[in-house]
Amino acid sequence: MKTFLNVQDLGDLKQALAEAQEIKNDRYKYCQLGKNKTALLVFFNNSLRTRLSTQKAAQNLGMNVIVLDVNAGAWKLETERGVIMDSDKSEHLLEAIPVMGSYCDIIGIRSFAGLTDREYDYAETVYNQFVKYSGRPVFAMETATVHPLQAFADLITIAETAPQQPVRQPGKPIKVVMTWAPHPKCLPQAVPNSFAEWMVAASKEASLLQRDGSETGIEFVITHPKGYELDPKFVGDARVEYDQMKAFEGADFIYAKNWSCPGVTCPDKYGQILEDYHNLLDWTVSERQMAVTNDGKFMHCLPVRRNMIVTDDVIESANSLVIPEAANREISATVVLKRMLLSL
């Protein structure tokens, strides 16, 4: 595997989940695989779980790790071609990238959307420059439009939890709902894009999950206010429901996340908040919504703003999966890095 950006880069999801379980059973099984190999983790944006989990995953595999915080201790980097560099940016990414590549074997990139130019963001301009000019395998640690390591960890968490999840009738698919929730700031669509993409892919694998000793599928629903429609290439054939309470009915898993306007139905509003969040606080996930689920488990990628995205009672309940979900970030990153090392 030379790149990791979208779900198709991982290939067969059932095999990927089997590898995840193998690694979870013995995190150091492949500790010799990365001997004398170096992972460079490049952060254009802040991180907690991604930095710690990916660094730990590389160390599990015996790799050396270099972490570069572009905005803390490095030259400020220009990312666009044709720009007259007379501002505070001293180096261009097109020179920096091949230099970085000369010091490592695999590169991870974390670079958020600017949320001002949809075409630039959705072209994955920064990520693709690394793919083109580094000469190294490149994986996404969250980019302008996707966060595949998070989505893979989410899928691992659902696969682990689904067998214990109550079910109302035999053979009924596991219902997973992703809900928009209010937030005071404009956030990118990377996490919801990837979660949607991965759940749609998982829903097409009827034998992906085991429940009560039998195979079962996934029913995936997205709910959000009008105007927040995600890009169709990520939504696929998922059901979109604008009535949040209706979407939550009978759900086994609730995945909450805010995102700004993706610019699909209102291109001039890309990256913006469409309505004062104070008017949409009824979208905050509370016990009211969870009461209509099938004893639903609550998920969120973290960090989370309490009593905006989710109430204290819900995130602190026994049905909250946010901590095991975060722990699985180490597992998803180890699987991806293992496959990249095997491709060298």
Side-chain angles (χ1 to χ4, degrees), residues 277-315:
Y277 68 86
H278 291 97
N279 299 330
L280 294 169
L281 288 177
D282 57 337
W283 281 79
T284 300
V285 179
S286 69
E287 290 184 330
R288 174 178 65 90
Q289 289 99 326
M290 298 302 289
V292 302
T293 70
N294 182 29
D295 195 29
K297 305 296 184 183
F298 176 79
M299 301 179 70
H300 188 278
C301 63
L302 301 182
V304 64
R305 292 189 181 234
R306 286 178 175 230
N307 304 305
M308 287 286 303
I309 300 290
V310 58
T311 61
D312 291 328
D313 290 341
V314 171
I315 198 170

Side-chain angles (χ1 to χ4, degrees), residues 250-280:
D252 298 295
F253 294 89
I254 299 297
Y255 195 99
K257 187 70 179 79
N258 173 267
W259 60 91
S260 61
C261 176
V264 174
T265 57
C266 41
D268 59 323
K269 301 293 185 181
Y270 172 66
Q272 298 179 26
I273 296 173
L274 299 179
E275 184 178 351
D276 188 327
Y277 68 86
H278 291 97
N279 299 330
L280 294 169

Side-chain angles (χ1 to χ4, degrees), residues 155 158 173-174 176 199 202-203 205 208-209 216-220:
L155 179 60
I158 290 172
I174 293 163
V176 180
M199 287 302 107
S203 70
E205 299 288 339
L208 188 65
L209 304 179
T216 190
I218 288 177
E219 175 191 359
F220 180 52

Side-chain angles (χ1 to χ4, degrees), residues 144-161:
T145 68
V146 293
H147 197 350
L149 287 174
Q150 179 65 56
F152 186 16
D154 297 333
L155 179 60
I156 294 168
T157 306
I158 290 172
E160 290 175 333
T161 311

Side-chain angles (χ1 to χ4, degrees), residues 71-241:
N71 296 317
W75 298 114
K76 290 187 177 180
L77 296 175
E78 179 58 63
T79 61
E80 297 189 50
R81 295 183 73 255
V83 173
I84 298 174
M85 292 176 57
D86 58 356
S87 65
D88 62 341
K89 295 179 180 178
S90 305
E91 186 165 6
H92 202 287
L93 201 60
L94 296 185
E95 284 78 63
I97 289 173
V99 170
M100 293 180 199
S102 70
Y103 301 145
C104 66
D105 300 282
I106 295 172
I107 301 178
I109 305 299
R110 185 174 177 89
S111 179
F112 294 173
L115 295 180
T116 57
D117 184 338
R118 189 181 194 281
E119 183 178 355
Y120 182 88
D121 288 343
Y122 273 72
E124 289 293 2
T125 306
V126 173
Y127 177 86
N128 284 324
Q129 285 178 333
F130 274 89
V131 172
K132 185 174 181 179
Y133 297 112
S134 70
R136 303 297 182 194
V138 178
F139 67 98
M141 299 190 298
E142 186 170 358
T143 66
T145 68
V146 293
H147 197 350
L149 287 174
Q150 179 65 56
F152 186 16
D154 297 333
L155 179 60
I156 294 168
T157 306
I158 290 172
E160 290 175 333
T161 311
Q164 291 78 45
Q165 184 66 17
V167 64
R168 289 186 175 135
Q169 60 188 64
K172 184 179 179 181
I174 293 163
K175 185 176 180 180
V176 180
V177 177
M178 180 172 70
T179 180
W180 181 94
H183 197 283
K185 294 185 177 181
C186 299
L187 298 186
Q189 301 101 44
V191 169
N193 280 346
S194 275
F195 188 75
E197 179 185 44
W198 284 66
M199 287 302 107
V200 168
S203 70
K204 298 183 185 305
E205 299 288 339
S207 63
L208 188 65
L209 304 179
Q210 297 288 327
R211 192 176 202 173
D212 299 327
S214 61
E215 297 175 339
T216 190
I218 288 177
E219 175 191 359
F220 180 52
V221 180
I222 304 172
T223 183
H224 56 73
K226 290 187 176 181
Y228 287 96
E229 290 79 6
L230 296 170
D231 193 298
K233 71 179 180 181
F234 299 112
V235 173
D237 57 3
R239 178 163 70 90
V240 177
E241 173 59 64

